[in-house]
Amino acid sequence: MDECFFIFVEAHLFFALQGTWHVITVYYREEHFHSKISLMLMISPRMATGMQEKQYSPSLLSFFIYNPKFGPREGEEEKKILFYHPSEVEKNEKIRNVGLCEAIVQFTRTFCPSKPAKSLHTQKNRQFFFEPEENFWIVMVVRNPMVEKANKEGRPAATEYQEEELLDNVYGAVLQQCYSMYKLFNGTFGRAMEAGAVELLTQKLEKFFYRYLQTLHLQSCDLLDVFGGISFFPLDKMTYLKIQSFVNRVEESLSLIKYTTFLYNDQLIWSSLEQDDMRILYKYLTTSLFPRHSEPELAGRDSPLRPEVAGNLLHYGRFLTGPTNLKDPDAKFRFPRIFVNSSDGYEELHLIVYKAMSAAVCFMISASEELGREFCEQLDGLVGPQLTLLASDICEQYNINRRISGPEKEPQFKFIYFNHMNLAEKSTIHMRKTASVSLTSVHPDLMKILGDIHADFVRVDEDEEIIVKAMTDYWVVGKKSDQRELYVILNQKNANLIEVNEEVKRLCATQFNNIFFLD
């Protein structure tokens, strides 16, 4: 190991002098196994520069959906375009842009018919292509981040496009999420075509994407968008059984309910949906619906805000979808409809989201059922008191566990964990998400390194470990083992490779002691 460390120091010095970065593969042998570590030393222009400059984040230039089969003849090219943003773009420019993308896709098919182009890199922007259904193409064009550097003697500022800052895997995942979110609320493109031909499809696309694209914040997209994971709430067995019993009682009393999902503090506890459906529904709930209805939360069973009159609990339950006030004689009993996978392809459901304190329950009922005042009052009377008690119990148990574990100390490391088998994700890098942005507690360049490491993991099937030394004195470690991925950022200026490896082992022992990671 001494020899390996000596190589690391020499590469570090050479890197600093030459202004480039190198990859060193270090092999070392222990008693019963071989382990492979890739060590990378790298620097970012944003980290190194000290000049006065103005930075611009990536932004959405255009977003369009087309089908090449809809306008095959000359002069009918506009018929291919099903949706185009921004809509004020002149018609001929839309046709040119769509035609260029169509040509790129067709050209790349000649090399690999089963895997056409996914992205196109240019100096000023990057284009991402996705074919969710046969012959239906979604294209997203993102302007590259750029820097304006001030020139002397009053000359115009020089603009420098940072062509390699965007990660294909991140923004490709964002593009796929756009389609998944559309499909959740509208079904497939093919379904709209069957119901009302091109006219109905274009109406649905315009209505959905006009609002949805305004919620895209491309400057904050990162590795979590690639994973699209679910954060699970840690719970003791007894409280979990209480929740399971609550779900069973409600489904037995209200036989119309087909699927149920239970969340606490924006984290999932129970769901009867398929994983892929739950993944996109969870994203909608935590990044859109819940932030719009945020409120001060109650803290524990003994809260003075918890009213009890003559032994009857006045609950805190309310509908987040559907009627805002059941006592209002003009209340509207309309619920959003969602589409989930089923054995017949898909099924359409009413989405009822009901919340009490920090606990939220989603009930899904067949869209063929008529839901009116009587049903909503029955659900409110049944679920409200029980959910309020459950939310108080969960909060109390959570606070007890926190007191037992002691005060939280600021750790020397931050991490992201993802399990591909159950979509479980945990991050100490990301602060609480808001409706408009996902805040991170580390520099964007470190997030880019995480994305680069993940891209390397995707290219190989074997378990692997990669260690990166950034010039800001941070160490970044990525471990891939048995369909699980762990990424750790360490702020230890004077640590060496051995010490970093030991620190990651300690992290795995304390935070993931019931999870097996290959060494």
Side-chain angles (χ1 to χ4, degrees):
M1 289 301 299
D2 291 339
E3 182 181 359
C4 293
F5 182 67
F6 175 73
I7 295 174
F8 156 70
V9 172
E10 288 220 330
H12 192 162
L13 293 172
F14 178 76
F15 168 75
L17 291 170
Q18 300 298 325
T20 57
W21 61 279
H22 306 270
V23 180
I24 308 169
T25 301
V26 181
Y27 294 89
Y28 65 91
R29 183 182 302 232
E30 293 194 11
E31 188 172 351
H32 298 295
F33 62 86
H34 299 278
S35 183
K36 176 182 175 182
I37 298 179
S38 295
L39 172 64
M40 293 186 285
L41 309 172
M42 57 197 305
I43 189 169
S44 162
R46 290 185 298 188
M47 287 181 169
T49 183
M51 298 173 59
Q52 289 289 344
E53 56 187 33
K54 188 175 181 180
Q55 295 189 356
Y56 294 87
S57 301
S59 60
L60 182 66
L61 291 180
S62 60
F63 183 99
F64 49 90
I65 301 170
Y66 73 93
N67 187 320
K69 302 296 184 183
F70 289 171
R73 297 185 182 88
E74 189 174 349
E76 297 181 345
E77 291 84 1
E78 191 178 10
K79 293 181 180 179
K80 299 176 182 178
I81 306 173
L82 302 171
F83 173 79
Y84 199 103
H85 170 83
S87 57
E88 58 270 16
V89 172
E90 196 263 335
K91 182 181 78 171
N92 288 333
E93 185 179 347
K94 293 180 182 178
I95 293 173
R96 281 196 303 270
N97 291 338
V98 170
L100 175 62
C101 292
E102 188 180 355
I104 293 169
V105 169
Q106 290 299 329
F107 175 71
T108 55
R109 279 194 191 276
T110 60
F111 301 100
C112 186
S114 62
K115 293 183 179 180
K118 291 184 178 180
S119 67
L120 173 67
H121 298 206
T122 65
Q123 180 189 18
K124 295 184 178 181
N125 59 53
R126 193 170 298 187
Q127 300 183 27
F128 299 92
F129 314 101
F130 178 48
E131 185 185 21
E133 301 174 38
E134 187 177 5
N135 293 319
F136 286 97
W137 285 89
I138 307 178
V139 180
M140 181 172 69
V141 184
V142 180
R143 189 196 67 190
N144 287 329
M146 60 182 186
V147 177
E148 282 188 356
K149 296 184 178 180
N151 281 326
K152 298 178 180 179
E153 301 174 1
R155 288 183 294 176
T159 300
E160 179 183 309
Y161 289 91
Q162 298 176 326
E163 302 173 41
E164 300 305 318
E165 289 297 303
L166 299 184
L167 296 176
D168 283 353
N169 56 351
V170 170
Y171 290 91
V174 171
L175 183 57
Q176 293 179 35
Q177 285 173 12
C178 291
Y179 171 73
S180 297
M181 198 66 76
Y182 169 87
K183 191 173 72 168
L184 178 68
F185 290 102
N186 297 276
T188 62
F189 296 159
R191 175 185 177 275
M193 291 292 294
E194 293 171 5
V198 178
E199 290 74 18
L200 179 61
L201 177 58
T202 54
Q203 290 173 16
K204 285 181 173 289
L205 293 173
E206 185 71 36
K207 182 179 179 181
F208 177 81
F209 284 109
Y210 174 76
R211 290 185 297 174
Y212 183 75
L213 293 179
Q214 297 178 43
T215 68
L216 286 184
H217 296 271
L218 300 179
Q219 72 278 6
S220 60
C221 296
D222 55 39
L223 188 59
L224 288 194
D225 292 285
V226 179
F227 292 147
I230 297 170
S231 178
F232 288 88
F233 188 82
L235 210 59
D236 64 287
K237 293 179 181 178
M238 188 57 65
T239 310
Y240 182 81
L241 289 175
K242 287 182 182 179
I243 293 170
Q244 182 72 68
S245 176
F246 160 77
V247 170
N248 291 339
R249 287 198 305 270
V250 172
E251 289 185 346
E252 185 178 353
S253 301
L254 302 173
S255 58
L256 294 180
I257 296 173
K258 297 197 70 173
Y259 305 101
T260 304
T261 295
F262 193 105
L263 301 96
Y264 184 83
N265 200 24
D266 295 358
Q267 294 176 292
L268 184 65
I269 294 178
W270 161 264
S271 176
S272 56
L273 280 175
E274 292 289 336
Q275 273 191 356
D276 288 340
D277 295 321
M278 189 61 238
R279 164 186 263 168
I280 194 65
L281 177 61
Y282 178 80
K283 182 171 180 63
Y284 164 69
L285 294 173
T286 56
T287 62
S288 181
L289 184 65
F290 291 164
R292 292 203 308 266
H293 295 84
S294 60
E295 63 179 358
E297 302 293 358
L298 303 181
R301 179 184 285 272
D302 300 323
S303 169
L305 297 177
R306 174 190 165 106
E308 290 188 74
V309 179
N312 294 321
L313 177 66
L314 301 179
H315 66 79
Y316 293 99
R318 62 194 179 101
F319 289 91
L320 296 192
T321 61
T324 54
N325 184 1
L326 284 175
K327 296 180 180 179
D328 183 359
D330 299 322
K332 300 287 192 299
F333 295 92
R334 289 197 300 266
F335 295 92
R337 296 188 176 192
I338 62 172
F339 294 80
V340 301
N341 296 312
S342 70
S343 56
D344 300 327
Y346 62 86
E347 56 183 320
E348 189 175 1
L349 305 166
H350 294 292
L351 175 63
I352 303 173
V353 184
Y354 191 90
K355 188 174 184 182
M357 298 157 61
S358 294
V361 188
C362 302
F363 300 111
M364 283 143 276
I365 297 172
S366 174
S368 61
E369 302 288 347
E370 289 291 333
L371 304 180
R373 181 182 296 274
E374 182 181 352
F375 176 82
C376 291
E377 288 178 346
Q378 184 184 3
L379 187 146
D380 182 63
L382 175 68
V383 175
Q386 295 186 64
L387 188 59
T388 302
L389 283 169
L390 263 180
S392 188
D393 288 341
I394 296 170
C395 183
E396 190 174 22
Q397 187 62 45
Y398 178 68
N399 289 334
I400 290 172
N401 292 339
R402 289 186 66 181
R403 285 197 294 271
I404 293 173
S405 61
E408 291 186 5
K409 298 179 181 179
E410 181 67 24
Q412 288 186 303
F413 50 78
K414 297 180 183 295
F415 68 85
I416 294 176
Y417 166 78
F418 181 69
N419 185 335
H420 288 271
M421 290 178 282
N422 63 358
L423 305 183
E425 114 187 337
K426 185 176 181 181
S427 171
T428 60
I429 290 174
H430 294 77
M431 294 175 277
R432 190 177 181 88
K433 293 179 180 177
T434 67
S436 59
V437 68
S438 176
L439 301 173
T440 58
S441 57
V442 300
H443 196 280
D445 288 303
L446 294 175
M447 295 304 298
K448 182 177 182 297
I449 293 174
L450 297 184
D452 286 330
I453 294 175
H454 173 73
D456 284 339
F457 286 164
V458 170
R459 282 191 284 267
V460 294
D461 294 329
E462 298 85 9
D463 294 335
E464 193 175 5
E465 179 174 359
I466 295 177
I467 298 178
V468 175
K469 178 68 165 70
M471 291 301 288
T472 49
D473 295 326
Y474 282 93
W475 289 86
V476 183
V477 181
K479 289 173 71 76
K480 177 187 176 185
S481 176
D482 193 26
Q483 297 192 56
R484 298 177 176 92
E485 295 182 32
L486 175 66
Y487 301 85
V488 184
I489 297 177
L490 296 162
N491 185 13
Q492 295 187 354
K493 180 177 180 180
N494 298 318
N496 59 38
L497 189 61
I498 301 173
E499 292 167 343
V500 168
N501 201 36
E502 290 300 318
E503 191 67 34
V504 172
K505 285 183 179 179
R506 280 195 292 270
L507 168 64
C508 292
T510 56
Q511 297 286 337
F512 307 100
N513 57 347
N514 59 339
I515 297 174
F516 176 69
F517 278 107
L518 293 174
D519 284 324

